[in-house]
Amino acid sequence: MKNVISRRNFLATSGLLAGGALMNPGEVLQAASQESGSGMKNEKMRIALIGTGSRGCRMWGRTVVTNYADYLTFVGLCDTNPGRLQTAKEYIGVDCPIYTDFEKMMKESRPDLLIVCTVDATHHEFIIKGMEMGCNVLTEKPMTTDETKVQAIIDAEKRTGKHCRVTFNYRYSPHRAKMWELLRAGEIGDLTSIDFHWYLDTSHGADYFRRWHRLAENGGSLWLHKASHHFDLLNWWIESDPETVFATGSLDFYGKNGPFRAENCRNCPHTKACDFY
């Protein structure tokens, strides 16, 4: 790719910045440039973003523009919602065209890198189309929601010669990065058995039952949309390559098993008693 830093280092350094940078942006870029051997070229990386929700606008939008404007430029934003698009353009702080037609954006903007931040179940559509239209792709986790879509993405990579990278931003929070360092340094000796539990509280956890994540057909359920973070952390920390992964669970707190039930918050008769109103 004709850009100022490699895709691998762009992903790593932008993730660091989003999670709390260990160095200032200039140092991060310089280190990434030296490591990749690319040098600080004058030509900016051309980026297009599809999906202008919270993750797209913040982590892959505003944060990236704030720290890397000298090295990259957004050439297009795409979403199905024109009002959201206009708001996203202003929030991110860019002056690029906005589109509701994905293929039109790709043809007119000619990006080097496409960032996919749509609903999980649609990731594969834009990843594959993006590669077919000559672009490398960076996608939010999870890459997609079932094995058929995964295989289609792999086949598209082989067919087009382009690449898809999946970002797991949890890796780059300072304390989780420190755990990686300590394990690599052998601080606790050889690992023989691992027990890893993760608990969602009712503050952050409730978010997944308010938005599109609440429908399994959109995000593959929390087993995939949320727990993929934790499998990734474990695989990263201990360099594991699991052969089998399975999950069991139940709906115990939210939805039909919650203490209150109504169509939505705005007309619910339980607003005075509900902690989540």
Side-chain angles (χ1 to χ4, degrees):
M1 291 180 63
K2 295 180 291 183
N3 56 8
V4 297
I5 55 178
S6 71
R7 284 176 290 103
R8 183 185 300 273
N9 285 311
F10 171 75
L11 172 59
T13 54
S14 59
L16 279 168
L17 289 167
L22 305 181
M23 300 181 284
N24 70 48
E27 290 173 335
V28 172
L29 276 171
Q30 186 176 11
S33 176
Q34 292 172 348
E35 181 180 354
S36 66
S38 63
M40 289 295 187
K41 299 180 181 178
N42 293 326
E43 187 174 358
K44 292 184 178 182
M45 184 197 300
R46 298 170 60 85
I47 294 179
L49 169 70
I50 181 164
T52 54
S54 175
R55 184 57 54 84
C57 286
R58 293 179 182 178
M59 179 172 162
W60 294 114
R62 190 170 183 168
T63 300
V64 169
V65 168
T66 299
N67 293 293
Y68 293 100
D70 291 341
Y71 310 102
L72 55 84
T73 182
F74 274 81
V75 294
L77 303 177
C78 185
D79 202 293
T80 57
N81 185 328
R84 178 185 287 273
L85 269 173
Q86 187 58 47
T87 300
K89 180 178 178 178
E90 295 170 3
Y91 178 83
I92 295 172
V94 292
D95 187 26
C96 64
I98 56 177
Y99 301 86
T100 56
D101 185 318
F102 174 70
E103 292 194 13
K104 182 179 180 181
M105 177 184 75
M106 294 297 291
K107 290 175 182 178
E108 293 183 357
S109 65
R110 298 175 292 104
D112 299 312
L113 178 71
L114 171 67
I115 301 178
V116 177
C117 293
T118 60
V119 171
D120 297 350
T122 65
H123 282 183
H124 70 294
E125 299 176 22
F126 303 109
I127 292 171
I128 293 171
K129 285 182 181 178
M131 291 192 291
E132 289 176 342
M133 298 182 80
C135 190
N136 288 293
V137 180
L138 187 156
T139 183
E140 255 303 311
K141 63 84 199 159
M143 182 168 68
T144 187
T145 53
D146 64 47
E147 70 280 12
T148 302
K149 295 173 182 177
V150 168
Q151 189 60 57
I153 293 171
I154 293 172
D155 293 342
E157 275 196 318
K158 294 177 180 178
R159 184 173 67 251
T160 64
K162 298 300 178 179
H163 300 286
C164 173
R165 295 285 183 265
V166 185
T167 169
F168 284 95
N169 61 305
Y170 245 150
R171 289 187 179 192
Y172 301 104
S173 53
H175 49 300
R176 293 180 183 94
K178 188 63 177 180
M179 289 176 67
W180 184 89
E181 293 176 5
L182 293 173
L183 288 169
R184 288 297 175 283
E187 289 291 333
I188 62 172
D190 295 332
L191 301 177
T192 58
S193 180
I194 297 164
D195 186 30
F196 179 27
H197 283 74
W198 193 284
Y199 298 98
L200 278 179
D201 59 29
T202 55
S203 174
H204 182 49
D207 290 346
Y208 296 100
F209 293 88
R210 295 187 177 112
R211 298 176 289 159
W212 57 265
H213 317 83
R214 70 189 184 278
L215 302 177
E217 58 265 33
N218 286 337
S221 82
L222 292 191
W223 292 336
L224 181 61
H225 179 82
K226 186 61 178 173
S228 57
H229 268 310
H230 311 133
F231 281 109
D232 177 71
L233 281 174
L234 194 59
N235 292 337
W236 182 52
W237 283 333
I238 69 174
E239 297 184 306
S240 64
D241 187 11
E243 296 179 0
T244 302
V245 175
F246 68 94
T248 59
S250 62
L251 182 63
D252 294 331
F253 189 83
Y254 299 103
K256 64 184 179 182
N257 289 324
F260 309 117
R261 190 71 173 162
E263 183 180 354
N264 55 50
C265 275
R266 291 178 182 175
N267 59 16
C268 179
H270 308 291
T271 56
K272 292 183 179 181
C274 179
D275 292 334
F276 301 105
Y277 173 66

